[in-house]
Amino acid sequence: MWAGAGPLPTIAPMPAPDSAPPATPFEWMGGEPRIRQLVDRFYDLMDLEPGYAELRATHGSTLDDARDKLFWFLCGWLGGPDHYQDRFGHPRLRARHMPFAIGILERDQWVTCMDQAMGETGVPEDLRARLNQSFMNTADWMRNR
């Protein structure tokens, strides 16, 4: 369910199943507009859903900086432009997340929130399953308590 102002933005449809598969997950997702939509929904859910309260608490008073950084990171990680690395260098994910207390609860809330966002923004099921596995592996590696 979309909780933003108005309907979901219209995004070009994914390629038909009989066409050649996209070369990267970035293309499969639909490029920057779809990744921005996913990231915005992820942070909207984090802000709105009580089930993500502990995760939300780790992010400070505003989510604007986090929205941009995750969008920039995901673009490159999914095979598109390296916006994050162009701005900040190598992501060094674990090191950059060490100041934040990340336990099993926060890990699970992050992965669940992202899965919900992927479902609500129409990420294809087979790609969603692959991304969920990668997100869980990375989120588990980020745990520091």
Side-chain angles (χ1 to χ4, degrees):
M1 174 184 294
W2 172 251
L8 283 170
T10 302
I11 303 294
M14 297 301 296
D18 60 339
S19 65
T24 65
F26 178 82
E27 292 174 11
W28 198 358
M29 293 264 312
E32 289 187 19
R34 291 289 297 263
I35 294 170
R36 174 53 79 178
Q37 182 185 27
L38 171 64
V39 168
D40 286 344
R41 187 63 187 144
F42 171 76
Y43 284 109
D44 289 348
L45 288 167
M46 188 189 303
D47 229 6
L48 296 169
E49 297 288 336
Y52 306 131
E54 291 80 6
L55 175 63
R56 176 61 182 90
T58 67
H59 284 77
S61 62
T62 180
L63 296 173
D64 295 339
D65 191 46
R67 282 177 195 264
D68 287 338
K69 286 181 177 176
L70 182 58
F71 168 72
W72 294 329
F73 173 78
L74 286 179
C75 282
W77 184 71
L78 292 167
D82 281 327
H83 299 309
Y84 187 92
Q85 288 195 46
D86 292 346
R87 286 169 173 82
F88 306 106
H90 190 280
R92 299 178 17 240
L93 289 179
R94 187 161 168 77
R96 291 186 195 269
H97 286 80
M98 284 306 274
F100 309 102
I102 302 172
I104 291 172
L105 179 64
E106 292 81 9
R107 175 203 67 190
D108 290 351
Q109 286 183 8
W110 196 100
V111 172
T112 302
C113 186
M114 181 55 76
D115 181 60
Q116 183 177 348
M118 286 191 295
E120 291 183 15
T121 59
V123 173
E125 285 300 317
D126 42 356
L127 177 58
R128 182 177 169 189
R130 291 180 195 183
L131 291 176
N132 269 327
Q133 184 62 48
S134 293
F135 286 142
M136 177 53 91
N137 291 342
T138 301
D140 193 54
W141 179 65
M142 305 287 254
R143 287 180 31 226
N144 56 27
R145 64 175 179 103

